[in-house]
Amino acid sequence: MTINVLFVCLGNICRSPMAEAIFQQLVDEAGLTDKFHIDSAGTGDWHVGEQAHPGTRRILAQHGIAYNGRSRLITAQDMANSHSYIITMDQSNGNNLRRQFGQHPNQHRLLEFSSQTSETDVPDPYYTNNFEYVYQLVKDGCTGLLETIRKQQGL
């Protein structure tokens, strides 16, 4: 069985592609690549088809993580698989998904899995340019998420 993990933010150019790339690296390092399908999407369509934000690409490269994805809009099909993990970057993203698609049994905010911050939302670096801080939050959340999934799935 493949474990689907979808990271969601507003435009799918800053936070969710960063989370997708970091989580993929963690999964690869754990030797679990064949057990996961990892993706990201946005709730808004402003950037569909675009590369990740230059700040996201730069910070990932500085940490030795490759990313080539393109922005896309979340679909009903993404939300249809009740066994998928739908991981939002903030409360607003989660609210948008619930309004559009209803409740999903495995929808969580990324920082629910964090062990090193009391923040609940990953701030959007689009206007603030705080990509390193966002990277640290996302990595912490992704590390905890992988630990949680491994326990739940017996990996």
Side-chain angles (χ1 to χ4, degrees), residues 74-89:
I74 193 163
T75 66
Q77 186 175 359
D78 290 324
M79 298 297 291
N81 184 346
S82 63
H83 298 292
S84 293
Y85 292 84
I86 307 295
I87 308 299
T88 63
M89 297 299 117

Side-chain angles (χ1 to χ4, degrees), residues 21-93:
I22 291 169
F23 193 74
Q24 184 69 62
Q25 183 184 52
L26 292 171
V27 165
D28 292 349
E29 288 172 351
L32 299 170
T33 307
D34 61 335
K35 304 234 182 271
F36 283 85
H37 176 263
I38 303 160
D39 200 358
S40 65
T43 60
D45 63 0
W46 308 279
H47 301 287
V48 169
E50 294 180 18
Q51 286 185 307
H53 187 284
T56 293
R57 295 194 320 263
R58 183 185 72 251
I59 205 71
L60 289 172
Q62 286 174 2
H63 290 277
I65 302 172
Y67 184 76
N68 303 328
R70 298 263 177 189
S71 173
R72 72 178 186 86
L73 193 59
I74 193 163
T75 66
Q77 186 175 359
D78 290 324
M79 298 297 291
N81 184 346
S82 63
H83 298 292
S84 293
Y85 292 84
I86 307 295
I87 308 299
T88 63
M89 297 299 117
D90 62 34
Q91 183 67 44
S92 176
N93 305 146

